[in-house]
Amino acid sequence: MKQQCRSSLKGIVVLVAGLALTTVTGITHAEGWYVGIGAGQATSDADTDGITFLSGPGPISVDETDSSFKVFGGYQFNKYFGVEVGYIDMGETSATAPGTDTYKFALTGFEVAAMGTWPISDKFSLFGKLGLVSWNSDVTFNVAGIGGSVSEDGTDAMVGAGAQYNFTKNNGVREEVEAFD
């Protein structure tokens, strides 16, 4: 059972879009520390080929979208370069087959990234990220009435891009997309 869960996890790619409503402190293209929070939507590309359902053949229903949230902070060395760390909860993906067979994948992770910023104006900037995410996946399953769970962790590359608008020197909003593989 453990190998079946593990093989299905390897095909998951999570995109986190819309981490908006980000409160940022001290990041108006200047040097210094900043912190933020975000909420959005996580979408996974669940590979169900490795999952064997004992309840028999039939269509598999997969819910690949869930809410996500993020807490992050970083240091801007100059108006073009910074580093960022964060904790992200990427929600849950579930797969259900006819009968009672279910799998649920919950993903969380810590990320660290180098960040390049392109200031368009005093208030608006574009940015890109490249780094690593250390993730943990908790898989719970119920197959033919027998339940269990498996945890797996690993480290993978992450990339991101987005835009930020600063209302004041100490507050702004972000829209970003991050991909983990």
Side-chain angles (χ1 to χ4, degrees), residues 134-171:
S134 177
W135 54 268
N136 180 56
S137 176
D138 293 320
V139 180
T140 57
F141 57 88
N142 183 347
V143 179
I146 300 171
S149 64
V150 177
S151 289
E152 185 174 3
D153 56 27
T155 302
D156 288 306
M158 63 85 62
V159 296
Q164 180 167 314
Y165 182 81
N166 296 308
F167 296 113
T168 68
K169 182 179 179 182
N170 295 324
N171 292 297

Side-chain angles (χ1 to χ4, degrees), residues 8 26 34 42 67 75 85 109 113 126 132 150 161 171:
S8 64
Y34 63 92
S67 298
Y75 188 80
V85 297
L126 301 175
L132 296 172
V150 177
N171 292 297

Side-chain angles (χ1 to χ4, degrees), residues 95-152:
T96 306
T100 60
D101 292 358
T102 59
Y103 285 83
K104 293 184 180 182
F105 309 91
L107 297 167
T108 59
F110 290 94
E111 61 185 15
V112 60
M115 207 166 149
T117 305
W118 180 29
I120 304 297
S121 70
D122 287 342
K123 294 189 177 246
F124 183 74
S125 62
L126 301 175
F127 62 87
K129 297 184 196 182
L130 182 60
L132 296 172
V133 62
S134 177
W135 54 268
N136 180 56
S137 176
D138 293 320
V139 180
T140 57
F141 57 88
N142 183 347
V143 179
I146 300 171
S149 64
V150 177
S151 289
E152 185 174 3

Side-chain angles (χ1 to χ4, degrees), residues 23-109:
T23 302
V24 185
T25 303
I27 187 171
T28 56
H29 314 302
E31 298 174 11
W33 295 99
Y34 63 92
V35 296
I37 57 173
Q41 186 175 43
T43 302
S44 65
D45 181 7
D47 178 6
T48 58
D49 292 338
I51 299 176
T52 303
F53 288 100
L54 298 179
S55 60
I60 297 173
S61 170
V62 179
D63 180 4
E64 298 177 328
T65 303
D66 200 3
S67 298
S68 64
F69 74 89
K70 179 177 181 178
V71 178
F72 62 93
Y75 188 80
Q76 193 73 25
F77 294 103
N78 57 44
K79 65 181 181 177
Y80 301 108
F81 181 72
V83 293
E84 190 169 283
V85 297
Y87 170 79
I88 188 164
D89 182 324
M90 296 172 260
E92 184 177 271
T93 297
S94 62
T96 306
T100 60
D101 292 358
T102 59
Y103 285 83
K104 293 184 180 182
F105 309 91
L107 297 167
T108 59

